[in-house]
Amino acid sequence: MKSKPLYSLGEESSNRILGFWLFLGAEIALFGTLFAVYLTLANNTGSAPTQKELFEMNGVMIETFALLTSSFTIGLVVNAIKLNHKKAFMSFLIITLALGAIFLGVEITEFFTYVHEGATLQSSGALSALFVLLGTHGAHVTFGMFWGIAILIQTYREGITETTANKTFIYSLYWHFLDVVWIFIFSFVYVKGLIG
Amino acid sequence: MGFKWDHFFVTGEPMIYGAMVSIVLVSLAIVIGLTKFKKWGYLWTEWLTTVDHKRIGVMYILCALLMLFRGGVDALLMRAQLAGPDLKILDAQHYNEIFTTHGLIMILFMAMPFIIGLMNIVIPLQIGARDVAFPYLNAVSFWLFFAGAMLLNVSFIIGGSPDAGWTAYFPLAGKEFSPGVGNNYYAIALQIAGLGTLMTGINFIVTILKMRAPGMTLMKMPMFTWSILITNVIILFAFPVLTVALALMMFDRMFGAQFFTMANGGMDMLWANLFWIWGHPEVYIVILPAFGIYSEIISTFSRKNLYGYKSMVVSMIAISALSFVVWVHHFYTMGQGAMVNGFFSITTMAISIPTGVKIFNWLFTMRKGKIEFTVPMLYALAFIPIFTIGGVTGVMLAMASADYQYHNTMFLVAHFHYVLIPGTVFAVIAGFYYWFPKVFGFKLDEKIGKITFWFITISFNVTFFPLFILGLKGMTRRTFTYSAESGFGPLNLIATIGSIGLAIGFILLVYNIYYSVRYAPRETNGDPWNARTLEWSTSSPIAPYNFAVIPTIDSLDPFWKSKKEGTSLLKGKIKDIHMPSNSGIPFILGAAFMAFGFFLIFEWWVPTIIFSIPILICLIARSFQRDHGFHIHKEEVIETEKKLRGDQYEEQASV
Amino acid sequence: MSALFPKQQVVGFIQSLVLTIIALSVYFLDIPYRISLMILIVTALLQGGLQLIVFMHMGENEDKSVLYLNLGYAIFVAVTIVFGTLWTLLWGW
């Protein structure tokens, strides 16, 4: 007889998880809209640099593997909850956040490079759409960094309880979702832009 | 640096000066009154920090009534200006601001909060729950709505209202053609309020799916609950599109982006596309709850089960799905080709079918029923034929080729008022009369209510029917005047006379509240209408925990069944009841968003960044908070039940 | 020690790496445009599904039918928005 995991033990815990899944549904609509805007304006490059000129595959690959691996490590954090292993929990969460920081570092550098090359939010419709799509995802990752630090502190202080387990599981859903969005960005913005 | 100080206060308009003075005086009166009667503590602990769905619902509806007044005044001003040719009551700029705010206020700050207020009060009671799934989040939703509403409402005296229509099409709504602060208010106030609405969507879906009383399967829920479940699903998926659209508008206007510009690769039509992808589901968000309210009222006052329960559910699900594939009908004339227009004509005509099914179900519910002509029932009866006029004119507009004649004429204005007013407005008024005694323990006066009903219903038709004819004669919408030669004068005058009748009707509505507070007999039994669903099994006023014992149900209309069979719904022992704690954070968060939003609107970046800090602090505080609520001990519950129910206490519950 | 690295998660991680490499290959191997797009769509959808089922434990949730419905509706809305917008504004006639 399989018992319920610690993170969804009570009624309130499972309600919070359901609520968050619904929020992710709304986020799918949000990012869907941003993709629609980007794909509509992608060729409207005006007199500004084009995506093919700007994109650097190396940075994209680092970002992709960082985020992918961090999605793996946050899964190890949730697994650590099931094992009630606080040290593993903390270690894997710190690694996850470190990988997130690497992702953000590369992305911020990427943006500065674009601006340096004369491609800004204001340069063309295509670039406005690119910056807002990538920037929204990046802002979500940044928010996730702060959220992750809060969870790190709370679990360090309180241990793995029903409350911290539930919050961590929900955080992991968020983090996985951002990885899924990145997969679509990587495929249909970067790779498509470079082969186009 | 943003806008300069000389753009701050709106100058040069006597009516606006008058408004500024009244706002200052009213605010002073409120502050002085609260201080004199020592009510600040009461206000804080009982209302500003509440997480109780009933109190939150009352606050939403109070705001909605105030906004109804404001939107109504906008309408009266427009009708005064259009009463005759070449009048000079309002100049073009002022007229543009007024029709813009009229639309924004009526849809987003009157209809939405009224509906959300009713859903807040009624849903937990109808499903036999003690509160919504996330009471704290519910409070946040309200205060974000309030912040957005306040921001939009100060715009006409501070900086200038948005003036590009409630639809804010580009390029008019862009920086080049609307350089002032007005459309910044649009982008930011709507964004903040929209966040609150999205949270409401999540809250009520979880509440309805997870917190129903034992035995209440999905197909045993009241129809109002079904309508709210489906409405919140639409909210969940439609509002993110608005979030994106408004953010892109903000980037274009404030940060020089090129989303909707006419050069450098922008696409102005993209705005209209995104706006209506949200905007069409939005109109179904405001009409489905109305359908739910009518289902409750018609069933109750025909003394019959609702006819065709399953098809009512299926039709609403169909409407929700179809509502996402019809949006282009709002801009058939914008230049996309005939194939696109043809596709959307078909989907638009298709969406009228499930609504038709519902109309027949309501008629069959009434057939062979014992009709009681109470005030709520009168509104429901008027809704059926009048809304149908709105609906069939919608099918006329649905045909893209024909729409080239009707689009943006007064015919369109008449169509949407014929669906919105008999649909949404009549429903929220009916719902207000219907559920008022549940919350406050006395009915609104029936006689005044009936006079109000007739004033509103007749005046509505006098106001809006001529607009169909004016549209067919060629009068365009959103025009601040017309010439005598056009021949539009006489029908416009009739419409204006009708609008005066509507104004009288709404004054009577408000007067009824005052009159009933003073003179209406207080009911003690909680079931003034002899109704059918669970909310009527509670006392009036309602205990803070709603139900002393969570009822177990086994059929539709469980309260009706329990009355007919003489059984009690409340079987079981009274135990300690767990309640969520009040919190001041939602209020502070709302205030912080209001300040943040205000400075963002004026593009004063430093204060904007400063006010993002309290927002972050509120989020962090909430994350670290470990308040798990408190318990009402069972002795106190028993005391409360005895006090509220008097003699019926013994029949209703066992210890 | 191996309990800290459950097999399902490790296998899933490797699968997502493989799918990413396949997606990257359309760039490095200069695959023709249309086929590239097909490959990208398939790999993206597979990776998305992988995340949802294996990593996010969608199938283990007590409310999984609601979750699937939610996901289905969300995808329907997102696809409608993307292709509806592109058709109306760019491709349609």
Side-chain angles (χ1 to χ4, degrees):
Chain A
M1 229 276 321
K2 207 162 159 211
S3 64
K4 283 174 49 161
L6 179 66
Y7 50 74
S8 63
L9 216 48
E11 187 188 315
E12 194 187 324
S13 291
S14 58
N15 284 358
R16 294 179 88 237
I17 291 174
L18 175 60
F20 199 77
W21 271 105
L22 294 171
F23 172 69
L24 290 180
E27 291 262 80
I28 291 175
L30 186 111
F31 278 103
T33 309
L34 287 168
F35 268 102
V37 170
Y38 176 74
L39 292 171
T40 304
L41 297 178
N43 293 319
N44 292 22
T45 50
S47 50
T50 64
Q51 290 92 307
K52 207 156 182 183
E53 292 163 5
L54 288 168
F55 291 163
E56 294 274 332
M57 190 43 101
N58 291 332
V60 174
M61 287 202 291
I62 298 174
E63 289 171 309
T64 304
F65 287 113
L67 222 54
L68 223 70
T69 310
S70 73
S71 201
F72 172 60
T73 54
I74 195 68
L76 299 180
V77 172
V78 172
N79 184 59
I81 294 174
K82 294 184 180 165
L83 300 170
N84 199 20
H85 199 307
K86 189 171 167 187
K87 260 180 101 187
F89 180 110
M90 305 285 291
S91 313
F92 287 132
L93 184 52
I94 290 172
I95 296 174
T96 305
L97 293 174
L99 289 166
I102 291 174
F103 172 87
L104 282 176
V106 174
E107 184 157 79
I108 292 171
T109 313
E110 180 194 340
F111 281 10
F112 272 105
T113 310
Y114 293 169
V115 171
H116 191 66
E117 292 173 4
T120 69
L121 174 74
Q122 307 170 335
S123 307
S124 68
L127 285 167
S128 294
L130 180 74
F131 276 108
V132 170
L133 173 58
L134 297 180
T136 303
H137 176 265
H140 274 78
V141 174
T142 308
F143 184 86
M145 296 293 294
F146 288 109
W147 186 1
I149 292 169
I151 288 183
L152 197 64
I153 297 172
Q154 287 165 33
T155 309
Y156 177 73
R157 285 176 16 176
E158 299 162 33
I160 299 178
T161 65
E162 193 181 329
T163 304
T164 53
N166 180 252
K167 280 166 169 280
T168 307
F169 183 75
I170 289 174
Y171 175 74
S172 78
L173 291 179
Y174 180 77
W175 199 256
H176 286 305
F177 174 74
L178 288 182
D179 194 31
V180 175
V181 175
W182 179 257
I183 290 161
F184 280 86
I185 291 178
F186 153 79
S187 304
F188 300 109
V189 176
Y190 287 106
V191 176
K192 177 173 170 297
L194 282 168
I195 63 176
Chain B
M1 205 246 121
F3 292 85
K4 298 283 184 281
W5 279 101
D6 54 357
H7 284 127
F8 200 76
F9 286 107
V10 176
T11 53
E13 263 282 358
M15 280 194 272
I16 293 185
Y17 289 137
M20 286 176 186
V21 169
S22 348
I23 289 174
V24 171
L25 288 177
V26 169
S27 308
L28 272 174
I30 293 174
V31 169
I32 292 172
L34 283 171
T35 313
K36 178 157 182 259
F37 295 109
K38 297 201 197 331
K39 287 288 190 185
W40 286 105
Y42 164 80
L43 188 67
W44 179 256
T45 52
E46 301 296 321
W47 293 94
L48 302 186
T49 59
T50 187
V51 296
D52 182 337
H53 68 99
K54 305 180 283 295
R55 292 256 166 103
I56 290 173
V58 168
M59 289 196 286
Y60 267 116
I61 295 177
L62 184 61
C63 289
L65 287 169
L66 289 168
M67 292 291 98
L68 182 60
F69 169 73
R70 164 99 201 249
V73 170
D74 285 334
L76 288 173
L77 286 169
M78 284 192 278
R79 283 272 30 115
Q81 167 61 18
L82 291 178
D86 293 314
L87 291 182
K88 301 275 183 281
I89 301 172
L90 298 170
D91 63 24
Q93 172 59 28
H94 201 174
Y95 190 86
N96 292 354
E97 291 185 22
I98 286 179
F99 70 64
T100 303
T101 37
H102 171 79
L104 286 172
I105 284 180
M106 287 303 207
I107 297 186
L108 293 168
F109 298 110
M110 189 283 291
M112 292 289 282
F114 219 131
I115 286 166
I116 295 177
L118 287 171
M119 98 172 57
N120 259 289
I121 293 172
V122 176
I123 294 297
L125 296 171
Q126 269 199 347
I127 63 174
R130 293 222 160 93
D131 206 310
V132 295
F134 309 115
Y136 172 93
L137 192 69
N138 204 15
V140 171
S141 286
F142 174 76
W143 289 112
L144 286 179
F145 150 77
F146 187 77
M150 283 293 103
L151 279 174
L152 186 70
N153 271 283
V154 302
S155 63
F156 78 114
I157 50 173
I158 302 183
S161 287
D163 58 358
W166 90 283
T167 52
Y169 278 11
F170 281 77
L172 177 63
K175 223 24 180 320
E176 189 187 350
F177 295 104
S178 292
V181 141
N183 282 296
N184 285 2
Y185 271 106
Y186 182 101
I188 304 301
L190 268 58
Q191 187 75 286
I192 295 174
L195 290 174
T197 306
L198 183 66
M199 293 173 197
T200 296
I202 295 171
N203 217 337
F204 278 84
I205 295 175
V206 178
T207 303
I208 293 173
L209 290 181
K210 302 276 282 182
M211 295 175 70
R212 280 166 283 134
M216 187 182 281
T217 60
L218 284 173
M219 294 307 267
K220 294 199 176 81
M221 296 197 303
M223 197 47 65
F224 180 61
T225 303
W226 260 115
S227 71
I228 293 302
L229 175 64
I230 295 171
T231 300
N232 280 294
V233 170
I234 304 179
I235 286 176
L236 188 71
F237 296 111
F239 268 78
V241 184
L242 180 68
T243 306
V244 171
L246 293 173
L248 301 188
M249 171 189 260
M250 178 189 75
F251 282 119
D252 260 25
R253 286 185 56 85
M254 298 182 194
F255 301 103
Q258 307 279 8
F259 289 104
F260 311 121
T261 54
M262 293 184 292
N264 277 323
M267 191 189 283
D268 46 6
M269 195 173 154
L270 181 61
W271 164 266
N273 182 64
L274 293 177
F275 179 84
W276 285 115
I277 292 176
W278 165 79
H280 195 85
E282 166 65 12
V283 309
Y284 286 97
I285 290 169
V286 297
I287 202 69
L288 285 185
F291 290 165
I293 294 172
Y294 289 129
S295 290
E296 297 292 328
I297 288 173
I298 289 175
S299 157
T300 301
F301 297 111
S302 307
R303 305 261 165 260
K304 270 182 83 195
N305 279 339
L306 186 66
Y307 186 93
Y309 185 99
K310 267 209 195 117
S311 62
M312 285 297 216
V313 173
V314 171
S315 63
M316 287 196 289
I317 293 173
I319 289 172
S320 78
L322 280 170
S323 71
F324 281 96
V325 294
V326 298
W327 78 92
V328 176
H329 70 230
H330 294 274
F331 50 93
Y332 280 138
T333 61
M334 207 175 269
Q336 67 279 357
M339 182 61 92
V340 174
N341 279 352
F343 172 82
F344 284 98
S345 291
I346 295 173
T347 54
T348 306
M349 287 189 265
I351 203 172
S352 66
I353 297 172
T355 307
V357 167
K358 300 180 83 67
I359 301 262
F360 283 110
N361 280 337
W362 286 313
L363 292 173
F364 281 126
T365 305
M366 291 191 275
R367 181 170 179 261
K368 297 205 179 156
K370 263 185 84 182
I371 313 281
E372 211 181 310
F373 293 93
T374 58
V375 169
M377 188 58 163
L378 287 175
Y379 282 104
L381 291 171
F383 148 79
I384 292 177
I386 307 177
F387 174 86
T388 303
I389 296 175
V392 298
T393 51
V395 183
M396 288 169 69
L397 291 155
M399 291 177 58
S401 34
D403 188 58
Y404 270 76
Q405 297 296 317
Y406 313 129
H407 181 59
N408 274 353
T409 63
M410 295 304 278
F411 188 89
L412 172 64
V413 175
H415 155 72
F416 64 68
H417 284 91
Y418 259 84
V419 285
L420 283 171
I421 297 182
T424 303
V425 178
F426 280 20
V428 297
I429 296 176
F432 184 67
Y433 273 89
Y434 184 58
W435 281 299
F436 188 93
K438 171 47 51 190
V439 179
F440 293 107
F442 58 95
K443 280 194 209 171
L444 292 167
D445 186 81
E446 279 283 300
K447 188 144 163 269
I448 300 175
K450 288 184 182 178
I451 298 171
T452 309
F453 163 77
W454 286 112
F455 256 102
I456 291 178
T457 305
I458 295 175
S459 307
F460 164 79
N461 284 289
V462 174
T463 310
F464 288 99
F465 201 84
L467 301 188
F468 282 123
I469 304 171
L470 279 167
L472 294 174
K473 271 165 158 283
M475 183 177 175
T476 334
R477 78 186 284 202
R478 294 179 175 150
T479 45
F480 81 110
T481 193
Y482 51 89
S483 66
E485 294 78 47
S486 64
F488 298 151
L491 287 171
N492 267 298
L493 183 59
I494 295 173
T496 300
I497 294 169
S499 71
I500 297 172
L502 277 173
I504 296 173
F506 290 120
I507 292 171
L508 285 174
L509 187 71
V510 175
Y511 171 71
N512 198 350
I513 301 173
Y514 159 78
Y515 178 91
S516 306
V517 169
R518 272 194 82 170
Y519 300 114
R522 270 40 183 174
E523 332 247 335
T524 46
N525 90 338
D527 181 23
W529 306 111
N530 192 16
R532 314 173 73 84
T533 43
L534 271 183
E535 73 268 32
W536 303 103
S537 73
T538 60
S539 57
S540 284
I542 310 164
Y545 45 78
N546 297 350
F547 298 92
V549 174
I550 300 289
T552 307
I553 69 133
D554 59 3
S555 72
L556 268 173
D557 293 344
F559 184 52
W560 186 254
K561 180 164 182 254
S562 84
K563 282 189 290 187
K564 262 188 18 193
E565 296 175 356
T567 54
S568 168
L569 282 166
L570 305 173
K571 304 186 194 82
K573 287 173 104 54
I574 292 182
K575 295 191 253 214
D576 288 357
I577 295 179
H578 175 253
M579 299 288 287
S581 300
N582 281 3
S583 174
I585 300 180
F587 177 78
I588 296 170
L589 190 64
F593 260 102
M594 202 186 323
F596 172 82
F598 183 80
F599 292 115
L600 184 59
I601 286 166
F602 278 83
E603 299 177 33
W604 295 344
W605 309 121
V606 174
T608 303
I609 295 173
I610 291 175
F611 277 99
S612 68
I613 297 172
I615 295 175
L616 292 167
I617 293 177
C618 283
L619 295 178
I620 295 170
R622 175 59 181 170
S623 177
F624 279 82
Q625 192 183 57
R626 292 289 180 264
D627 182 332
H628 292 288
F630 63 98
H631 282 88
I632 302 181
H633 296 297
K634 66 170 188 253
E635 295 77 27
E636 200 184 325
V637 175
I638 295 168
E639 274 308 302
T640 312
E641 289 295 295
K642 284 195 178 133
K643 219 172 56 173
L644 288 172
R645 291 179 181 280
D647 316 313
Q648 292 166 351
Y649 164 69
E650 287 302 322
E651 298 158 29
Q652 293 285 8
S654 58
V655 178
Chain C
M1 179 60 185
S2 68
L4 292 176
F5 295 89
K7 188 155 164 250
Q8 222 196 11
Q9 306 283 20
V10 174
V11 168
F13 178 48
I14 294 172
Q15 286 171 330
S16 66
L17 288 171
V18 167
L19 286 168
T20 306
I21 291 169
I22 294 174
L24 277 172
S25 69
V26 311
Y27 168 73
F28 286 113
L29 300 180
D30 262 321
I31 313 272
Y33 188 71
R34 280 187 167 264
I35 302 177
S36 293
L37 273 185
M38 297 264 81
I39 294 176
L40 288 174
I41 291 173
V42 170
T43 52
L45 288 175
L46 282 175
Q47 272 220 58
L50 193 66
Q51 286 276 351
L52 287 164
I53 311 290
V54 177
F55 288 169
M56 292 162 87
H57 307 291
M58 237 185 127
E60 292 164 35
N61 191 299
E62 69 188 59
D63 298 306
K64 66 173 186 251
S65 44
V66 175
L67 260 44
Y68 286 132
L69 200 55
N70 173 51
L71 184 67
Y73 207 117
I75 292 174
F76 158 68
V77 169
V79 166
T80 302
I81 293 174
V82 170
F83 290 101
T85 300
L86 289 171
W87 190 51
T88 304
L89 299 181
L90 284 187
W91 306 333
W93 65 98

